[in-house]
Amino acid sequence: MMVTKSKAGLWSKIGARATFGMVALDLGKDFDDLMIVAADTSTSAGLERFKKTYPEKIIDCGIAEQNMMGIATGLASEGNNVITTTFAPFQTMRCCEQIKVNLGYMNQNVTMVGLASGVVQGMLGYTHSCIEDLSIMRSIPGITVLSPADCTETAKAINAALEHNGPVYIRLTGGSSNPSVYKDDYDYKIGKAINLKKGDDVALIATGTMVYVCLEVANELEEQGISTAVIDMHTIKPIDSEMVKAICDYAKLVVTVEEHSVVGGLGSAVSEVKTAISNAPPHLILGLPDQYGKSNDYVKLLDEAGLSVSSIVDSVLEKYSI
């Protein structure tokens, strides 16, 4: 699947959910064996045009997420390349046992797309927000876990997942008007992080929406004389351990930034690699707090969690000066 500037620009405007729906139309042409199973989310996932174009390639099983996983497993066992999709908390936590047994244990080729993860659904409260999915999914043996930085990377990740052998979870974050990190085609490989900016003092390792934010953070730190690297860690499992080791060779401070709980996500995955590295630099883990808060606007929830550009800069400066 080719990425063009015009596609990247459009995807950025419409957000990850609608991008998934548009990409699905292309994938319907590219993969004869494609089947999509949704849980009353055909409209929410932007799949209405896919449904009209490929009615034989989509099943909407209604608000029955556990059944969705069973149907997807059956289709995959018959040789289909299957995508399941619903909102992230229902895709992961409501279906956790089915994912463990049918996908992790049975190793079926199912790509799970978790819509609107993080706190973009914050006005609906923490029943619809999802701050736990990375930790849950990466703890299940056999599951590959992806967290795209923007809509272009969402398209690349979905295509890569369908070509991958084994189950994959893709975590979509951000709303509409999703800022672009990638505006042209580029090489995307599962398990290989992307060094977006080189630097010698601080290394910002980010995933999902926080990749763009960290590019802004790096600009501000550079103005204060701190050479700052930015790494897009789009694959949480398997983590790119070689990239983490390389970072630890030069950075004076490693900072992980994620729109996920500080427990069990990107920060934890990087820490697990760092424990085997002698004289590894200090590590600052930034993310959503280990608690459920009140309903609020998306931007306000990120601000409260210290995930705005200015808050991240302040956190880095405080730690780096020690």
Side-chain angles (χ1 to χ4, degrees):
M1 181 183 62
M2 293 296 295
V3 174
T4 64
K5 284 186 177 181
S6 60
K7 278 185 178 180
L10 174 60
W11 293 338
S12 176
K13 291 177 183 177
I14 63 178
R17 274 197 272 167
T19 294
F20 166 57
M22 289 192 70
V23 169
L25 279 173
D26 290 335
L27 297 177
K29 301 175 190 174
D30 298 339
F31 294 87
D32 292 335
D33 57 354
L34 178 65
M35 287 294 298
I36 297 180
V37 188
D40 196 36
T41 50
S42 293
T43 300
S44 299
L47 292 170
E48 290 299 330
R49 281 183 290 178
F50 183 91
K51 184 189 290 187
K52 291 177 182 177
T53 308
Y54 303 106
E56 75 285 0
K57 291 188 174 187
I58 185 168
I59 298 171
D60 196 324
C61 62
I63 305 174
E65 292 85 359
Q66 294 165 328
N67 289 343
M68 174 185 73
M69 297 310 302
I71 293 167
T73 303
L75 290 168
S77 70
E78 292 298 317
N80 293 286
N81 208 334
V82 186
I83 295 175
T84 63
T85 187
T86 185
F87 290 98
F90 315 134
Q91 174 69 89
T92 55
M93 286 175 276
R94 188 168 292 173
C95 304
C96 191
E97 184 181 2
Q98 286 73 29
I99 293 169
K100 170 192 170 180
V101 176
N102 296 353
L103 303 190
Y105 193 30
M106 296 172 63
N107 194 39
Q108 296 289 351
N109 286 330
V110 175
T111 296
M112 300 166 281
V113 178
L115 305 174
S117 194
V119 290
V120 70
Q121 300 259 71
M123 292 306 293
L124 297 177
Y126 278 82
T127 55
H128 286 64
S129 296
C130 195
I131 67 171
E132 315 90 346
D133 50 341
L134 291 180
S135 57
I136 291 168
M137 299 305 290
R138 77 183 194 91
S139 71
I140 299 175
I143 307 288
T144 294
V145 182
L146 309 179
S147 178
D150 67 357
C151 295
T152 299
E153 194 158 77
T154 293
K156 302 285 279 188
I158 295 168
N159 190 81
L162 290 179
E163 294 177 343
H164 179 75
N165 183 29
V168 180
Y169 174 61
I170 302 177
R171 180 185 207 246
L172 302 187
T173 50
S176 57
S177 300
N178 197 327
S180 291
V181 174
Y182 301 98
K183 298 179 181 179
D184 297 292
D185 207 354
Y186 67 103
D187 188 28
Y188 176 94
K189 291 182 180 179
I190 290 174
K192 295 295 180 183
I194 300 171
N195 196 330
L196 295 172
K197 182 183 178 301
K198 296 187 181 299
D200 298 324
D201 298 326
V202 172
L204 302 175
I205 306 175
T207 196
T209 52
M210 292 295 111
V211 175
Y212 179 86
V213 172
C214 281
L215 287 169
E216 298 286 293
V217 169
N219 290 336
E220 293 207 12
L221 291 174
E222 292 280 355
E223 290 179 1
Q224 301 198 41
I226 299 174
S227 179
T228 307
V230 179
I231 292 86
D232 171 15
M233 191 66 75
H234 53 72
T235 304
I236 309 302
K237 183 183 177 182
I239 196 78
D240 188 346
S241 57
E242 293 306 312
M243 176 67 81
V244 175
K245 291 174 184 176
I247 289 166
C248 289
D249 281 342
Y250 68 81
K252 300 178 181 68
L253 173 66
V254 173
V255 184
T256 51
V257 192
E258 58 196 306
E259 190 186 328
H260 181 273
S261 170
V262 292
V263 177
L266 172 65
S268 297
V270 170
S271 293
E272 289 160 14
V273 178
K274 287 178 76 260
T275 57
I277 301 173
S278 300
N279 301 316
H283 181 184
L284 174 62
I285 298 177
L286 300 178
L288 298 168
D290 180 29
Q291 64 187 42
Y292 296 121
K294 296 180 179 179
S295 303
N296 211 332
D297 173 76
Y298 181 37
V299 174
K300 290 180 180 178
L301 285 171
L302 293 176
D303 286 344
E304 289 173 358
L307 294 178
S308 65
V309 172
S310 60
S311 293
I312 294 171
V313 168
D314 289 344
S315 296
V316 172
L317 291 174
E318 181 180 354
K319 187 73 173 180
Y320 184 72
S321 62
I322 294 175

